[in-house]
Amino acid sequence: MLLTLTTDLTGFDLPASDFGFLLHKNPGRPQRTDITGGTAHVFYPEATDERCTAAVLLEIDPIALVRAGRGKSSEGFTLGQYVNDRPYAASSLLAVALSKFFRTAMIGRCDARPELAAASIPLEIHVPALPCRGGTELAERMFAPLGWTVDARPVPLDPEIPAWGDSRYVDLRLTGVVRLADALNHLYVMLPVLDDAKHYWVGSDEVDKLVRAGAGWLGTHPEKDLISHRYLAHRRYLSDDALERLAEADGVELADEAPEAEGPVSLAVERRTTVAAVLRELGARRIVDVGCGEGALVGELLKDPMIGELIGTDVSARALISAKRRLHYDDLPDRQRDRLRFLQSSVTYSDERLAGLDAAVLMEVIEHVDPPRLPALSHSVFKAARPAAVVVTTPNSEYNVRFESLPAGEFRHPDHRFEWTRSEFQTWAGEVAGRYGYAVEFRPVGPEDPEVGPPTQLALFRRTEVAA
């Protein structure tokens, strides 16, 4: 199993062998490391002033892989655990080797050549045998949007017998001018995606890895749904979590008008800060975040010392576990932990534990509920829980035309059951407010487009006897 990375550092007035500084691997000293089921080596077939190539070679023992509990064959027969392509074809095993050898390079750090680490450099990547379930066309779809020129050639089943046709493997060459850290992260994610398999168990920790490796590029990739599903072994709850964290449709960056801002702010951040500001305006001290997901808003609200009781609810137990992990719940000081509770609860069922609070937040929640279930949601929130105020945000579907990467007619998230226009949202909110004794006002979230309005719309409900 082999992968090579080549550069000539054209235009940098540096010897190509300085590539070793970026990779944190001395061209004159081969290195090796053990991985599950085998050994990985890194060495330099060439390292001159004009051209430098780093190679990663894996030696995999299928028997050792099985003994480690990682070699079960997807074909489902015992012999397939021992007789397979793992010693010869690039896979998640190679991705693991890349992360072990080049961990520092993947985060873009190089103290010896910081300007080079931050720059895009000419690179050529060669993977001679890459399993690609989708063929050369899929390889093009994966890498071309990232700025690579893709040369993917199918490997014949047997060169001596052309009639047998092509195998599922491709000989892949990528050329481009790309930052080295980005190139390594592209490979780390795409190798198991193209293979559509992993040699180890996929759990919630893999979401963290995908979000970390995909930062800055995956959120705007036109194939982000396919990438996240394949990388996370087609576990929908994990891929949905990853897409939320990458703020897939919300990953469009919005200009921050504040002169002191250091950079652009994503719509996801803008939405959290807007909701937090509304709650401060209300003076709410006891708050529930309904459908809290991984706890992004909860983490924002926890910073406010004036909030005395904070509850995060979600129908998914895994989401609550992820939220606790994200917020380091078990390591919080006692005073912080006493303010915070996580409850498994459905937004469409009444829950007496949520009754009588100062405010309830449904941030990007209602569009995940099937329309016939919306009356049940309204009853559980506005009648059974009946907080003094309710804050609801939801996408403004009119704004979708401004997302260049979103195909016409598609929703922003694969789990959305609907997305409302401004008038549709206002009609629903007005009916709910009138039925349950609330007054409602509407506010924009994000920059307001003169033609299609803001990207997110917010409704603030206040119980009328409280307002009086």
Side-chain angles (χ1 to χ4, degrees), residues 111-389:
D111 297 337
R113 299 287 188 275
E115 70 290 342
L116 198 58
S120 297
I121 63 175
L123 286 171
E124 178 181 332
I125 296 171
H126 185 207
V127 188
L130 174 64
C132 191
R133 298 180 188 273
T136 58
E137 185 267 340
L138 181 62
E140 178 80 22
R141 285 163 50 197
M142 292 293 106
F143 286 105
L146 300 173
W148 294 102
T149 299
V150 183
D151 180 5
R153 304 183 183 185
V155 176
L157 280 171
D158 189 330
E160 303 299 323
I161 311 178
W164 283 6
D166 296 327
S167 68
R168 68 182 186 92
Y169 304 92
V170 299
D171 183 336
L172 178 69
R173 290 184 185 271
L174 304 174
T175 55
V177 180
V178 181
R179 197 169 68 107
L180 176 63
D182 294 332
L184 292 172
N185 282 300
H186 297 166
L187 290 169
Y188 179 78
V189 172
M190 295 303 189
L191 291 176
V193 166
L194 292 173
D195 187 16
D196 198 12
K198 280 197 171 182
H199 71 278
Y200 55 87
W201 170 255
V202 174
S204 58
D205 289 348
E206 292 300 297
V207 176
D208 297 333
K209 295 179 185 177
L210 179 60
V211 171
R212 184 165 55 248
W217 61 272
L218 181 52
T220 56
H221 197 292
E223 299 291 344
K224 58 183 175 287
D225 291 345
L226 177 62
I227 293 170
S228 63
H229 277 77
R230 282 194 172 196
Y231 186 90
L232 297 165
H234 300 273
R235 288 173 168 81
R236 181 172 177 177
Y237 70 93
L238 293 179
S239 59
D240 285 353
D241 185 18
L243 290 169
E244 285 286 357
R245 291 176 58 178
L246 289 161
E248 40 119 298
D250 298 339
V252 176
E253 296 194 324
L254 309 173
D256 190 343
E257 298 177 355
E260 68 274 16
E262 295 181 357
V265 177
S266 74
L267 179 56
V269 173
E270 179 109 353
R271 186 167 51 236
R272 290 198 300 271
T273 55
T274 299
V275 169
V278 169
L279 294 170
R280 284 195 299 271
E281 174 189 327
L282 293 170
R285 299 291 178 262
R286 302 173 63 231
I287 300 168
V288 58
D289 180 12
V290 179
C292 67
E294 65 161 16
L297 178 62
V298 171
E300 182 73 25
L301 298 178
L302 199 60
K303 301 174 186 176
D304 187 346
M306 300 304 293
I307 296 176
E309 182 180 1
L310 184 56
I311 303 172
T313 75
D314 203 283
V315 70
S316 168
R318 287 187 175 91
L320 297 176
I321 292 171
S322 178
K324 286 186 175 182
R325 182 183 297 114
R326 176 190 176 119
L327 298 176
H328 304 287
Y329 178 80
D330 293 332
D331 298 325
L332 288 174
D334 291 343
R335 178 177 295 183
Q336 289 281 71
R337 196 164 56 248
D338 290 344
R339 298 166 58 209
L340 177 60
R341 282 191 295 158
F342 286 102
L343 304 174
Q344 187 172 10
S345 181
S346 171
V347 70
T348 57
Y349 291 93
S350 300
D351 190 335
E352 61 182 15
R353 297 173 296 178
L354 308 180
L357 298 174
D358 294 336
V361 178
L362 287 80
M363 189 176 77
E364 309 300 282
V365 169
I366 60 173
E367 64 274 10
H368 292 271
V369 177
D370 290 316
R373 300 292 294 161
L374 287 176
L377 177 150
S378 302
H379 181 274
S380 69
V381 173
F382 293 91
K383 178 150 180 89
R386 198 160 180 75

Side-chain angles (χ1 to χ4, degrees), residues 2-45:
L2 180 69
L3 178 147
T4 61
L5 302 100
T6 301
T7 187
D8 57 16
L9 296 185
T10 301
F12 288 92
D13 197 26
L14 291 170
S17 57
D18 277 11
F19 194 38
F21 286 109
L22 292 184
L23 293 172
H24 297 266
K25 295 291 178 288
N26 186 339
R29 187 166 64 88
Q31 296 185 34
R32 56 171 285 173
T33 187
D34 293 330
I35 67 167
T36 300
T39 305
H41 307 263
V42 63
F43 58 95
Y44 290 76

Side-chain angles (χ1 to χ4, degrees), residues 250 267 364 367 393-403 406-412 416-425 451-457:
D250 298 339
L267 179 56
E364 309 300 282
E367 64 274 10
T393 74
T394 193
N396 168 23
S397 65
E398 297 167 79
Y399 194 90
N400 287 356
V401 296
R402 298 294 186 254
F403 293 116
L406 186 65
E410 289 196 11
F411 292 152
R412 299 186 193 181
H416 284 183
R417 297 334 196 235
F418 61 87
E419 289 178 0
W420 278 334
T421 64
R422 286 169 289 175
S423 62
E424 289 171 331
F425 181 48
E451 295 180 4
V452 297
T456 296
Q457 44 193 340

Side-chain angles (χ1 to χ4, degrees), residues 75-128:
E75 287 79 7
F77 60 96
T78 302
L79 186 59
Q81 298 182 35
Y82 300 92
V83 182
N84 53 51
D85 64 0
R86 292 307 171 218
Y88 314 107
S91 66
S92 58
L93 292 162
L94 183 55
V96 169
L98 290 176
S99 70
K100 282 199 169 189
F101 277 134
F102 307 131
R103 188 182 306 276
T104 305
M106 289 175 71
I107 63 175
R109 200 185 83 203
C110 179
D111 297 337
R113 299 287 188 275
E115 70 290 342
L116 198 58
S120 297
I121 63 175
L123 286 171
E124 178 181 332
I125 296 171
H126 185 207
V127 188

